[in-house]
């Protein structure tokens, strides 16, 4: 449902993405795997419109997004959880969620909040807690909840397992799989953590130097150290 076709972009005169073509299906979690500096965040930023597309196209359903500014892409149904989360530390959990849907009708808010707290029961006892007081894992869960409360058609996440303790990483993987399936949305995750990706999909798209270079089964990657070295630099 989210279709990237020959996506090229970069920073100023520096081209980082050299033509990425990828289909992110509804109801599934699709993984973009690659080591540091290969263009994962650049691709997600290009999809949401923070970086200009220099060639190619990005479409959501039958709607072309490539020429739209970020807020119109969000309105068309794209939600994004940036690397390092980026919740509002000075606002409570409830306020963080409310801000995300500030533009929607006031009477829709209670139903959205209820659904979100059912989906993320960990947040229930924390609704009045300040964002700053949450653990890294709780902040990541809040960031995901804040993206989903907007009721997107596609959700993009940039290294959601980074810096999160292993037990919460497992929880977050489960939440994404459930959200994709139950909401029928397309989920695209940029990651480097093999344990995490093995929990959300069977095979990953490998990006290197701004190009997709392989599609490989997670099981094969886990048992092949040479491949891990090549694709993840570990
Ligand atoms: N704001 C920027 N201005 C110029 N070049 C940038 C900028 N941000 C990233 N780059 C360059 O673009 C390339 C891709 O970076 P990007 O952040 O997309 O990689 P990444 O795969 O997300 O890496 P990481 O796993 O470390 O987050 C790198 O060469 C990087 O130096
Ligand atoms: Mg990155």
């Amino acid at each position: 449902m989210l279709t990237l076709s020959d996506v090229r972009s970069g920073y100023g005169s520096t081209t980082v993405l050299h033509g990425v073509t990828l289909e992110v299906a509804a109801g599934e979690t699709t993984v973009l795997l690659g080591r540091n500096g290969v263009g994962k965040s650049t691709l997600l930023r290009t999809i949401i419109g923070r970086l200009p597309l220099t060639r190619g196209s990005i479409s959501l359903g039958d709607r072309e997004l490539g020429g739209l500014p970020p807020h119109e892409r969000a309105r068309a149904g794209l939600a994004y959880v940036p690397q390092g989360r980026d919740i509002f530390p000075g606002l409570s959990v409830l306020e963080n969620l409310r801000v995300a849907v500030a533009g929607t009708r006031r009477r829709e808010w209670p139903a959205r909040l209820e659904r979100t707290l059912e989906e993320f029961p960990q947040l229930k006892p924390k609704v009045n807690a300040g964002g700053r007081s949450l653990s890294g894992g709780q902040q990541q869960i809040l960031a995901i909840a804040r993206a989903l409360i907007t009721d997107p058609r596609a959700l993009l996440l940039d290294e959601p397992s980074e810096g999160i303790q292993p037990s919460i990483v497992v929880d977050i993987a489960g939440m994404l799989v459930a959200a994709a399936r139950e909401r029928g949305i397309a989920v695209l995750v940029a990651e480097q953590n093999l344990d995490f990706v093995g929990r959300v999909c069977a095979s990953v798209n490998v990006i290197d130097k701004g190009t997709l270079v392989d599609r490989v089964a997670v099981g094969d990657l886990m048992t092949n150290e040479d491949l891990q070295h090549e694709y993840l630099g570990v």
Side-chain angles (χ1 to χ4, degrees):
M1 115 144 44
L2 174 66
T3 307
L4 313 180
S5 179
D6 193 31
V7 167
R8 290 164 199 252
S9 83
Y11 303 88
S13 60
T14 310
T15 300
V16 171
L17 300 177
H18 302 278
V20 172
T21 296
L22 182 66
E23 180 73 37
V24 185
E28 288 176 25
T29 303
T30 298
V31 169
L32 185 70
L33 184 93
R35 58 198 154 76
N36 294 119
V38 294
K40 301 183 297 298
S41 299
T42 301
L43 181 61
L44 299 188
R45 284 188 211 120
T46 303
I47 298 170
I48 61 158
R50 286 200 195 167
L51 285 174
L53 188 64
T54 51
R55 217 167 101 184
S57 74
I58 298 166
S59 59
L60 187 60
D62 50 17
R63 178 126 189 241
E64 173 59 35
L65 303 181
L68 300 179
H71 68 276
E72 282 184 28
R73 297 190 201 196
R75 204 179 301 149
L78 279 188
Y80 168 61
V81 178
Q83 193 163 7
R85 306 178 282 276
D86 177 45
I87 61 151
F88 298 112
L91 298 185
S92 69
V93 166
L94 193 64
E95 288 163 341
N96 267 278
L97 295 171
R98 187 70 185 99
V99 165
V101 288
T104 61
R105 283 196 207 103
R106 189 174 272 267
R107 62 186 157 81
E108 284 178 16
W109 160 245
R112 283 185 188 244
L113 179 65
E114 189 182 353
R115 179 179 187 184
T116 302
L117 293 179
E118 265 164 30
E119 233 171 337
F120 302 94
Q122 306 88 332
L123 295 178
K124 258 188 197 168
K126 297 273 176 193
V127 283
N128 294 315
R132 187 179 287 111
S133 73
L134 303 182
S135 70
Q138 290 166 337
Q139 288 187 22
Q140 186 62 275
I141 292 168
L142 174 56
I144 296 168
R146 199 177 59 173
L148 285 174
I149 202 171
T150 66
D151 215 1
R153 297 172 70 197
L155 173 65
L156 316 176
L157 303 104
D158 200 348
E159 301 206 38
S161 79
E162 194 180 26
I164 307 283
Q165 68 178 77
S167 66
I168 311 267
V169 166
V170 173
D171 290 347
I172 290 173
M175 286 167 203
L176 292 185
V177 170
R181 195 180 46 228
E182 286 159 24
R183 289 170 169 266
I185 63 176
V187 177
L188 177 62
V189 192
E191 262 297 343
Q192 308 195 42
N193 177 340
L194 276 187
D195 291 331
F196 177 84
V197 304
R199 292 174 186 276
V200 297
C201 65
S203 60
V204 296
N205 303 282
V206 181
I207 179 171
D208 195 12
K209 299 194 190 89
T211 313
L212 291 184
V213 293
D214 199 0
R215 184 170 170 91
V216 58
V218 179
D220 291 347
L221 204 46
M222 280 182 168
T223 52
N224 187 333
E225 286 184 8
D226 291 341
L227 263 191
Q228 287 176 32
H229 182 70
E230 187 180 344
Y231 291 158
L232 287 167
V234 293

